[in-house]
């Protein structure tokens, strides 16, 4: 591939756009698709098409979002609505070729909703489906290409507005203008804390230093969440484009992709995408024929949840133990190698290109209050259709749980929804009509978080879930500061006592007291937020804890039972 | 694996990373992917070639969960204990596997056949609960089927 100038890239885009109009079969080949048997489905489709001389392109694609129905196969024939098949085994794969492709007879009983039926694509409509109107409830900006393009083809990315934002940025936008556009858009960090993205970019740009760095935080550590993995695997170029633009704004020559080693497929896809972008002149020296030079390297995480914290992540990129340090100075002033460093989350970066192409005003018009745009959630637990959803901010939790995801699989009652993982909290059933926004979730004692959403039914124990999250944080505490190291262990011991029917009423007060100390005195976000799950559990479900304490009391009165 | 091959491997890895600042963790990843763990003699060689104190290497190795200091068993059984898997019965699966193999998480059976570990979310929450045996991912598991899969591997080895 030649190194493109801006005009050449336009010409190339016009050429490759035709690629997308060919009849094709797309097989979801992300980690979860492969795990469910997508390789067999893919191979069978190819074999059958070859033996029957069916003239159709069979390609790999990323995550379509309906994880519980994998492997997913979509048949796209121009002029016809896309047809999605779920749970595709070898037999169904053969039938798809013979009946659907060769005889134009879709296998109706095996069809599942297509991406088009579930979500409005942002390139098809400027606005999501309005509340109350009929239509798909999801709106895809971040996931615009996931399940649509072949993630290993830069041409397919380019064909769908890919690198258009970079062209726009480099051909005349100043860094001030780009920051202004982000300010208008209202985009906030999607890692969970919700710091305004424009402000982070401006602080880093304005900080003095010989070098400036941009880091993509792909260390998705919340157990029960996999939004970032899906974007890394399904649309790697969207993140790379966001990083190049970020590098341009802050004046960086080097960017770092920090990715979990536990995501080997994501690492492979990013490696390949970086090579492709370099070959096309989108990375490296004189990008798109301009003066701007920028390159990316990959650094692997090694299984430490604390490395999601910015200063710990920087230590890890420097090849050290991932322990945090006190802030200030913030990384935007003193980060990697003591130079100004901007760390952005995967989902945040994937939002950058659409904002520059469509304008900050468009993005800012979606959402509610100070929470603009969309948010991707990985909805799991006792839910019927677990999977990835992307909703406009302001959509209610009930809409997500009952509307989009079909409610509880067994038909039981929703007890609570947990957001924010080990740093978040529980939202009980009576608050499900709350709209999703940074502010609303915080008011309920939870957080937006990175996008994990665990649905519990009335058979799940809040006491056990609190113990699970706290155990996780105790395991993952780096041990550097005492409030987190000792506080976490002491709360866990107390909680274990309560759970194992040995607790007393005083234990609850003890838990609360230590939790508040941890929130105030811990060095980094891990320790400060580790007590959130237990505090929110006590806020809404204290009777469940009291039940266990009452049972312990009874047991003490009847020693025969206690000894058992 | 002969001693010389270990030495040569380390030299190649050190050469690859020596000129990149802060690349110790990347070099250790390379070592582990070659051997399945980080052998002590390799770590000592790496210390010499990269001019890093051995203590710093072990400081890093012992901090991160991903690095292994002992050779894993022939078959690695990983039980996912992410939140979704936990809610959907992973503790029961783990319990039955420990009973069946007679080992706990982080241990290897005396004959070196099976290594058992609890892992934090492998990102397949839609298929919960999941267990992986080597590269194979077993979706929507229950205690009985998980043990059954392990039995099949055992029988295969005996044949």
């Amino acid at each position: 591939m030649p190194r493109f100038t801006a005009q050449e890239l336009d010409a190339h885009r016009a050429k490759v756009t035709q690629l997308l109009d060919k009849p094709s079969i797309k097989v979801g080949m992300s980690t979860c698709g492969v795990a469910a048997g997508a390789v067999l489905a893919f191979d069978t489709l190819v074999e059958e098409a070859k033996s029957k001389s069916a003239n159709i392109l069979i390609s790999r694609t990323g995550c379509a979002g309906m994880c519980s129905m994998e492997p997913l196969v979509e048949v796209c024939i121009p002029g016809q609505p896309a047809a999605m098949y779920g749970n595709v085994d070898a037999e169904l794969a053969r039938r798809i070729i013979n009946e659907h492709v060769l005889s134009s007879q879709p296998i109706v009983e095996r069809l599942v909703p297509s991406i088009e039926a579930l979500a409005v694509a942002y390139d098809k409509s400027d606005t999501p489906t309005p509340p109350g109107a009929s239509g798909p409830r999801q709106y895809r900006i971040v996931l615009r290409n996931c399940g649509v393009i072949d993630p290993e083809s830069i041409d397919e990315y380019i064909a769908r507005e890919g690198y258009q934002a970079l062209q726009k940025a480099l051909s005349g936008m100043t860094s001030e203008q780009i920051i202004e556009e982000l300010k208008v858009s209202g985009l906030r960090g999607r890692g969970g804390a919700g710091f305004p993205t424009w402000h982070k970019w401006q602080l880093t740009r304005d900080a003095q230093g010989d070098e400036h760095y941009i880091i993509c935080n792909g260390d998705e550590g919340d157990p029960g969440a996999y939004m970032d993995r899906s974007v890394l695997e399904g649309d790697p170029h969207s993140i790379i484009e966001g990083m190049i633009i970020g590098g341009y704004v802050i004046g960086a020559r080097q960017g770092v992709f920090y990715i979990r080693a536990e995501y080997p497929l994501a690492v492979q896809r990013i490696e390949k995408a970086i090579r492709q972008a370099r070959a096309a002149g989108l990375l490296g020296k004189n990008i798109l024929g301009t003066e701007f030079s920028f390159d990316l390297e990959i650094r692997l995480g090694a299984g430490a949840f604390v490395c999601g914290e910015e200063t710990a992540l920087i230590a890890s990129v420097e090849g050290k133990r991932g322990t945090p340090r006190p802030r200030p100075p913030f990384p935007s002033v003193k980060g990697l190698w003591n130079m100004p460093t901007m760390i952005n989350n995967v989902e945040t970066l994937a939002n950058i290109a659409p904002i520059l192409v469509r304008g900050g005003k468009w993005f800012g018009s979606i959402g509610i209050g100070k929470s603009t745009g969309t948010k991707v959630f990985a909805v799991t637990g006792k839910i019927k259709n677990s999977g990835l959803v992307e909703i406009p901010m302001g959509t209610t939790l009930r809409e997500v749980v009952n509307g989009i995801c079909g409610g509880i699989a067994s038909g039981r009652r929703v007890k609570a929804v947990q957001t924010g993982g080990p740093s978040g909290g529980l939202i009980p059933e009576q608050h499900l009509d709350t709209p999703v926004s940074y502010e609303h979730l915080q008011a309920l004692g939870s957080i937006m978080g990175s996008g994990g959403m665990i649905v519990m039914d009335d058979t799940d124990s809040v006491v056990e879930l609190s113990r699970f999250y706290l155990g996780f944080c105790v395991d993952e505490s780096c041990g550097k500061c005492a409030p987190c190291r000792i506080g976490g262990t002491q709360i866990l011991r107390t909680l274990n006592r309560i759970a194992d029917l040995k607790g007393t009423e005083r234990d609850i007060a003890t838990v609360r007291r230590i939790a508040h100390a941890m929130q105030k005195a811990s060095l980094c976000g891990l320790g400060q937020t580790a007590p959130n799950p237990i505090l929110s559990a006590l806020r809404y479900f204290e009777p469940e804890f009291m039940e266990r304490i009452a049972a312990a009391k009874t047991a003490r009165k009847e020693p025969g039972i206690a000894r058992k | 694996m002969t001693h010389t091959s270990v030495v040569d491997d380390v030299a190649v890895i050190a050469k690859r990373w020596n000129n990149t600042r802060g690349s110790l963790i990347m070099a250790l990843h390379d070592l582990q992917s070659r051997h399945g763990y980080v052998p002590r003699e390799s770590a000592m060689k790496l210390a010499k070639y990269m001019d890093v104190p051995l203590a710093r290497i072990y400081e890093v190795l012992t901090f991160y969960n991903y690095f292994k200091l002992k050779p894993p068993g022939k078959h690695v059984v990983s039980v996912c204990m992410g939140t979704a898997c936990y809610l959907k019965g992973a503790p029961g699966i783990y319990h039955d596997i420990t009973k069946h193999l007679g080992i706990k998480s982080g241990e290897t059976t005396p004959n070196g056949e099976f290594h058992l570990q609890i892992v934090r979310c492998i990102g397949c929450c839609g298929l919960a609960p999941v267990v992986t045996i080597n590269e194979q991912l077993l979706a929507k598991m229950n205690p009985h089927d998980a043990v059954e899969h392990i039995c099949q591997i055992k029988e295969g080895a005996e044949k």
Side-chain angles (χ1 to χ4, degrees):
Chain A
M1 189 174 276
R3 289 179 66 84
F4 295 121
T5 61
Q7 291 85 356
E8 285 163 356
L9 184 57
D10 278 332
H12 187 70
R13 184 176 295 113
K15 203 169 80 191
V16 291
T17 305
Q18 295 155 5
L19 275 180
L20 301 179
D21 295 334
K22 287 190 183 143
S24 68
I25 299 180
K26 297 170 185 170
V27 185
M29 303 274 265
S30 283
T31 298
C32 33
V34 171
V39 175
L40 178 68
F42 184 84
D43 291 348
T44 312
L45 285 166
V46 171
E47 239 169 67
E48 192 70 13
K50 204 173 156 196
S51 76
K52 299 285 164 67
S53 311
N55 182 24
I56 192 155
L57 179 76
I58 298 164
S59 65
R60 296 175 173 81
T61 187
C63 178
M66 290 159 286
C67 310
S68 53
M69 297 176 198
E70 298 269 14
L72 292 163
V73 169
E74 192 172 33
V75 182
C76 304
I77 295 170
Q80 292 177 18
M84 182 76 90
Y85 293 97
N87 300 310
V88 179
D89 52 14
E91 192 214 335
L92 182 57
R94 280 190 284 270
R95 286 183 68 193
I96 290 172
I97 296 290
N98 291 309
E99 297 172 35
H100 191 150
V101 177
L102 294 172
S103 319
S104 302
Q105 298 275 330
I107 307 144
V108 182
E109 71 276 13
R110 298 296 293 270
L111 287 175
V112 297
S114 66
I115 299 177
E116 273 174 19
L118 294 171
V120 177
Y122 90 95
D123 55 344
K124 296 264 166 63
S125 162
D126 277 347
T127 51
T129 311
S134 69
R137 304 325 303 180
Q138 297 191 58
Y139 190 61
R140 283 184 153 213
I141 301 174
V142 172
L143 300 177
R144 59 192 178 273
N145 291 323
C146 287
V148 178
I149 64 166
D150 176 354
E152 298 194 13
S153 160
I154 188 171
D155 282 346
E156 290 194 14
Y157 179 72
I158 290 172
R160 286 175 53 83
E161 284 186 4
Y163 290 108
Q164 205 169 307
L166 179 68
Q167 275 173 291
K168 195 171 168 185
L170 294 187
S171 66
M173 281 182 92
T174 61
S175 60
E176 286 87 4
Q177 283 169 324
I178 296 172
I179 287 172
E180 183 57 31
E181 206 65 63
L182 289 183
K183 194 173 177 179
V184 172
S185 81
L187 176 66
R188 294 164 68 182
R190 296 294 193 245
F195 190 76
T197 304
W198 72 269
H199 199 196
K200 204 177 217 179
W201 286 33
Q202 190 173 55
L203 287 172
T204 320
R205 188 199 60 164
D206 294 345
Q208 296 294 314
D210 296 340
E211 292 284 344
H212 286 66
Y213 295 104
I214 173 167
I215 300 179
C216 169
N217 182 354
D219 191 48
E220 184 171 53
D222 172 359
Y226 55 99
M227 309 68 53
D228 294 350
R229 175 179 65 73
S230 298
V231 183
L232 289 161
E233 289 179 359
D235 195 14
H237 285 286
S238 68
I239 311 159
I240 292 176
E241 186 174 4
M243 285 186 84
I244 306 171
I245 295 167
Y248 170 71
V249 168
I250 63 168
R253 289 187 299 172
Q254 187 67 45
V256 179
F257 248 111
Y258 188 81
I259 313 177
R260 286 182 83 187
E262 290 89 337
Y263 286 172
L265 185 62
V267 175
Q268 274 172 37
R269 294 249 163 99
I270 294 292
E271 271 172 355
K272 188 164 185 181
I274 289 177
R275 280 199 304 274
Q276 289 171 336
R278 269 190 206 131
L282 299 160
L283 274 177
K285 283 218 165 80
N286 303 106
I287 292 173
L288 289 173
T290 65
E291 292 294 299
F292 176 57
S293 300
F294 177 79
D295 212 337
L296 286 174
E297 61 178 321
I298 295 179
R299 287 301 163 89
L300 300 184
F305 178 63
V306 69
C307 287
E309 204 281 336
E310 292 194 339
T311 57
L313 187 152
I314 287 169
S316 184
V317 172
E318 291 178 350
K320 300 179 202 147
R321 287 165 71 101
T323 51
R325 60 154 178 78
R327 300 178 301 175
F330 287 91
S332 52
V333 179
K334 257 186 177 188
L336 186 60
W337 311 118
N338 283 326
M339 293 297 154
T341 302
M342 181 166 85
I343 302 174
N344 287 131
N345 161 275
V346 167
E347 192 181 331
T348 312
L349 288 164
N351 271 310
I352 302 296
I355 290 174
L356 288 200
V357 172
R358 308 267 139 156
K361 220 180 202 172
W362 158 75
F363 192 88
S365 72
I366 302 158
I368 179 172
K370 285 182 181 164
S371 301
T372 57
T374 60
K375 180 76 194 89
V376 182
F377 285 99
V379 189
T380 61
K382 298 292 175 68
I383 197 82
K384 190 164 167 223
N385 304 319
S386 67
L388 272 197
V389 302
E390 181 172 355
I391 46 152
M393 297 274 193
T395 307
T396 65
L397 289 163
R398 196 178 298 283
E399 181 72 56
V400 177
V401 173
N402 290 339
I404 297 172
C405 296
I408 301 279
S410 58
R412 300 193 73 94
R413 272 172 55 87
V414 177
K415 180 175 188 171
V417 170
Q418 209 279 355
T419 63
S423 312
L426 289 164
I427 297 157
E429 204 275 338
Q430 68 265 29
H431 288 302
L432 285 189
D433 289 313
T434 307
V436 170
S437 81
Y438 293 96
E439 289 74 21
H440 284 92
L441 294 183
Q442 211 170 358
L444 290 177
S446 187
I447 57 167
M448 175 79 82
S450 60
M453 192 182 278
I454 315 275
V455 182
M456 301 168 70
D457 71 18
D458 52 9
T459 63
D460 292 319
S461 157
V462 165
V463 180
E464 293 301 329
L465 189 75
S466 310
R467 169 144 84 159
F468 169 81
Y469 277 127
L470 206 64
F472 178 84
C473 289
V474 168
D475 268 0
E476 294 296 336
S477 169
C478 78
K480 185 170 177 174
C481 74
C484 174
R485 183 181 70 238
I486 303 170
T489 306
Q490 290 304 334
I491 300 183
L492 184 61
R493 279 172 69 175
T494 316
L495 195 56
N496 279 340
R497 254 201 325 265
I498 298 173
D500 298 337
L501 305 187
K502 288 173 187 149
T504 64
E505 271 149 37
R506 270 170 47 200
D507 285 337
I508 297 217
T510 307
V511 166
R512 283 212 168 96
R513 203 174 59 241
I514 303 174
H516 289 131
M518 277 179 82
Q519 285 181 325
K520 285 215 170 73
S522 293
L523 180 57
C524 82
L526 195 157
Q528 288 159 9
T529 61
N532 288 359
I534 175 74
L535 286 177
S536 95
L538 285 173
R539 175 169 171 181
Y540 297 111
F541 296 98
E542 191 169 329
E544 255 184 64
F545 292 84
M546 294 312 288
E547 252 171 52
R548 300 233 181 172
I549 288 168
K553 219 176 198 173
T554 320
R556 270 195 296 275
K557 277 186 197 148
E558 300 167 45
I561 299 168
R563 218 177 288 133
K564 197 179 141 210
Chain B
M1 188 188 312
T2 63
H3 188 67
T4 43
S5 84
V6 172
V7 175
D8 290 343
D9 282 355
V10 182
V12 172
I13 291 169
K15 201 176 163 199
R16 179 176 175 201
W17 293 108
N18 243 342
N19 294 324
T20 315
R21 200 148 62 134
S23 57
L24 178 60
I25 292 173
M26 296 305 280
L28 293 172
H29 271 297
D30 277 1
L31 264 183
Q32 173 150 313
S33 63
R34 207 159 294 200
H35 301 285
Y37 72 111
V38 182
R40 184 158 178 94
E41 58 268 38
S42 302
M44 286 162 79
K45 288 285 168 196
L46 192 73
K48 202 172 125 194
Y49 292 143
M50 290 187 86
D51 198 20
V52 182
L54 189 63
R56 266 220 60 212
I57 293 186
Y58 273 86
E59 188 188 53
V60 168
L61 284 175
T62 53
F63 180 82
Y64 294 98
N65 290 330
Y66 193 77
F67 294 121
K68 293 190 179 77
L69 299 177
K70 285 188 193 145
K74 198 168 152 201
H75 304 288
V76 180
V77 180
S78 310
V79 181
C80 181
M81 209 56 86
T83 319
C85 291
Y86 174 82
L87 274 186
K88 289 188 137 184
I93 295 173
Y94 173 71
H95 177 259
D96 279 24
I97 294 178
T98 52
K99 249 184 24 198
H100 182 77
L101 290 177
I103 49 170
K104 286 191 302 232
S105 174
E107 294 175 353
T108 306
T109 50
N111 63 7
E113 280 291 304
F114 291 96
H115 178 84
L116 178 62
Q117 59 183 17
I118 285 179
V119 292
R120 296 292 193 194
C121 199
I122 45 179
C124 298
C125 314
L127 306 170
V130 297
V131 172
T132 66
I133 302 182
N134 302 325
E135 305 291 296
Q136 192 195 2
L137 191 138
L138 309 168
K140 299 178 185 167
M141 270 294 109
N142 58 58
H144 176 265
D145 289 359
V147 169
E148 195 65 20
H149 276 281
I150 292 173
C151 289
Q152 276 172 15
I153 293 175
K154 272 187 179 167
E155 281 163 23
E158 277 162 18
K159 267 174 203 163

